[in-house]
Amino acid sequence: MKTYLVTGGAGFIGSNYIRYMLDRYGDSIRIINVDALTYAGNLENLADIEKLPGYRFIRANITDRDAITAIFAEHDIDCVVHFAAESHVDRSIKNPEIFVQTNVLGTAVMLNAARAAWEDRDGTYAEGKRFLHVSTDEVYGSLEEDGGYFYETTPYAPHSPYSASKASSDMLVKAYVDTYHFPANITNCSNNYGPYQFPEKLIPLIINNALNGRKLPVYGDGKNVRDWLYVTDHAKAIDMVMEKGRPGETYNVGGHNEKQNIEIIHIILDVLREKLPGSDPRRAYINEDLITYVEDRKGHDRRYAIAPDKIKSEIGWEPETMFEEGIRKTIEWYFTHEDWMEHVTSGAYQNYYETMYGPA
Ligand code: NAD
Ligand code: TYD
């Protein structure tokens, strides 16, 4: 039975990944979710999974070397899936240091602990050990509006403190591969969307603001392009790279779904109007008048777009969810989970740990 150590599993992508894996493999795997529960960690994301026998939650900070070493000592970990990070560009512009601590130092601690637990005396690793580092396409910088894609060979050129910290963590992983023959993979994915995303990111923020009649802030001219990937497609890609990826390789994961931010906002408004019943009073204010152009983000990358050719040809993964379908599923989810959004925006979700596990 394989044991997975998932870091950051209480966040958006991590919780979707854990659900995907336990749905797919059931009792035949074990998942240990290690998360510090920062503002972005929400155990309500995993409320339906909490009691499953194959799942265990451990509250720990990935920068805490002793805590992480103890987890490796106590559990025979086969695979690490490393999501834990500070993940929001706007926050990194305001407070870069925590990004360096968590994303760079935290990754170094995770790599070191895994290597110490896994490396044999002769410098080899047992079959099946694998460390998958989840990274972003933002490490490649920004593309021109009229062409080009990010490939695995594209030179790194990060612009924000967030992407610089992720680029640094990727470099550490590559250094472990080159220096210690450490069995790692890196996945660099495009912007994810779907259920359980914290409403500081564009899509859940726009859905939530529109439903509450609040302004929809558009940075700059609204024509920046992101390549949207449905989160479950991403979870599947991570599982497939873990199973089939060549050790040491990087794989780009993208959705073939390039859209300008302003297009996204129009689509969300259309779908909201389509889904709300005719009698719903919110129909009165959900319209284009809510769109508000605001000051541009500092250093705002113009366009991201991934060519997922390598993961398709080597591993057989392709995105399955087109944006029109994914955004409908996402909005449907937010409609049926208004209590989740209420807990997140009020801060009540931060009490969940105490409710489940007692005082921290
Ligand atoms: P998120 O912000 O929703 O979740 C991050 C999780 O990590 C939270 O549960 C948080 O509590 C935990 N965490 C933060 N600091 C920690 C620490 N020091 N120790 C332990 N846990 C800590 O992030 P996400 O959107 O789910 O992103 C997950 C990963 O995917 C990140 O590495 C991010 O860089 C990468 N990524 C995200 C996107 C995206 O669109 N969301 C795109 C590309 C790459
Ligand atoms: P975001 O979801 O923060 O992801 P990232 O910056 O990692 O790509 O932002 C996606 C795009 O949406 C980005 O171009 C910035 C823009 N944006 C807005 O226009 N308004 C907003 O309120 C937010 C949060 C983002």
Side-chain angles (χ1 to χ4, degrees):
M1 180 187 285
K2 260 192 194 171
T3 299
Y4 293 74
L5 191 169
V6 176
T7 70
F12 161 51
I13 306 176
S15 59
N16 277 284
Y17 169 78
I18 290 174
R19 180 170 292 98
Y20 173 85
M21 291 296 283
L22 290 172
D23 276 354
R24 183 173 154 91
Y25 295 106
D27 292 348
S28 66
I29 59 166
R30 278 201 324 145
I31 292 190
I32 300 169
N33 174 15
V34 174
D35 197 301
L37 301 183
T38 68
Y39 80 93
N42 182 353
L43 285 180
E44 288 187 26
N45 296 358
L46 294 161
D48 54 325
I49 277 164
E50 203 74 54
K51 297 276 185 297
L52 294 181
Y55 171 79
R56 162 126 188 242
F57 174 69
I58 299 175
R59 187 173 192 172
N61 195 306
I62 56 163
T63 61
D64 181 342
R65 194 202 305 145
D66 293 344
I68 299 300
T69 303
I71 293 168
F72 275 94
E74 194 184 326
H75 304 275
D76 186 11
I77 307 289
D78 298 295
C79 305
V80 173
V81 186
H82 179 35
F83 293 101
E86 288 291 334
S87 68
H88 192 208
V89 173
D90 293 328
R91 284 179 190 258
S92 83
I93 295 168
K94 288 208 170 69
N95 180 14
E97 276 183 30
I98 183 71
F99 284 72
V100 178
Q101 269 172 27
T102 292
N103 299 0
V104 186
L105 182 62
T107 299
V109 168
M110 290 305 304
L111 288 166
N112 228 27
R115 181 181 159 231
W118 291 350
E119 192 180 30
D120 293 328
R121 284 215 187 118
D122 62 357
T124 61
Y125 299 81
E127 188 67 31
K129 301 291 184 196
R130 193 62 67 93
F131 188 108
L132 194 148
H133 175 64
V134 179
S135 191
T136 168
D137 59 357
E138 304 191 23
V139 299
Y140 298 121
S142 183
L143 292 164
E144 296 300 323
E145 264 166 35
D146 51 356
Y149 292 95
F150 294 138
Y151 292 90
E152 289 78 0
T153 49
T154 303
Y156 276 29
H159 295 131
S160 71
Y162 163 66
S163 53
S165 69
K166 292 296 289 188
S168 309
S169 63
D170 292 12
M171 291 301 174
L172 275 173
V173 177
K174 288 172 202 265
Y176 267 65
V177 169
D178 293 345
T179 309
Y180 309 114
H181 305 294
F182 185 70
N185 290 106
I186 301 174
T187 52
N188 295 90
C189 69
S190 57
N191 287 62
N192 283 221
Y193 70 105
Y196 302 103
Q197 188 167 29
F198 197 82
E200 64 185 355
K201 305 277 167 56
L202 180 71
I203 288 181
L205 183 143
I206 295 298
I207 295 172
N208 188 39
N209 281 17
L211 285 172
N212 289 289
R214 286 200 291 267
K215 290 180 176 166
L216 311 179
V218 182
Y219 298 168
D221 65 1
K223 293 186 178 162
N224 298 64
V225 171
R226 299 292 182 262
D227 177 2
W228 295 94
L229 172 64
Y230 192 64
V231 66
T232 316
D233 288 358
H234 183 199
K236 183 172 180 181
I238 290 172
D239 182 32
M240 290 177 77
V241 170
M242 189 64 100
E243 292 303 314
K244 299 185 188 168
R246 284 183 294 134
E249 291 295 312
T250 289
Y251 296 92
N252 284 353
V253 188
H256 282 311
N257 265 322
E258 281 185 64
K259 296 263 183 288
Q260 292 182 341
N261 296 335
I262 191 68
E263 288 180 74
I264 297 280
I265 293 173
H266 285 297
I267 294 171
I268 292 174
L269 287 171
D270 287 346
V271 176
L272 284 173
R273 279 188 295 242
E274 172 196 306
K275 288 202 175 282
L276 279 174
S279 56
D280 195 303
R282 291 173 291 188
R283 293 183 81 88
Y285 57 71
I286 297 186
N287 60 52
E288 278 64 20
D289 292 345
L290 295 175
I291 295 175
T292 310
Y293 286 86
V294 299
E295 191 188 337
D296 206 356
R297 174 186 278 171
K298 289 184 174 64
H300 198 174
D301 287 335
R302 192 63 175 166
R303 173 172 166 255
Y304 302 142
I306 277 200
D309 301 359
K310 181 175 170 182
I311 191 169
K312 182 178 175 193
S313 63
E314 280 193 17
I315 293 187
W317 177 89
E318 273 190 285
E320 290 168 18
T321 311
M322 290 313 292
F323 192 76
E324 289 62 28
E325 179 196 346
I327 196 69
R328 280 186 167 69
K329 282 204 244 178
T330 303
I331 290 177
E332 193 71 49
W333 186 87
Y334 285 103
F335 269 150
T336 49
H337 292 76
E338 284 187 276
D339 52 340
W340 181 91
M341 187 60 93
E342 207 277 311
H343 293 175
V344 170
T345 47
S346 70
Y349 71 104
Q350 289 177 317
N351 303 328
Y352 189 86
Y353 180 85
E354 280 73 22
T355 315
M356 285 300 294
Y357 297 91

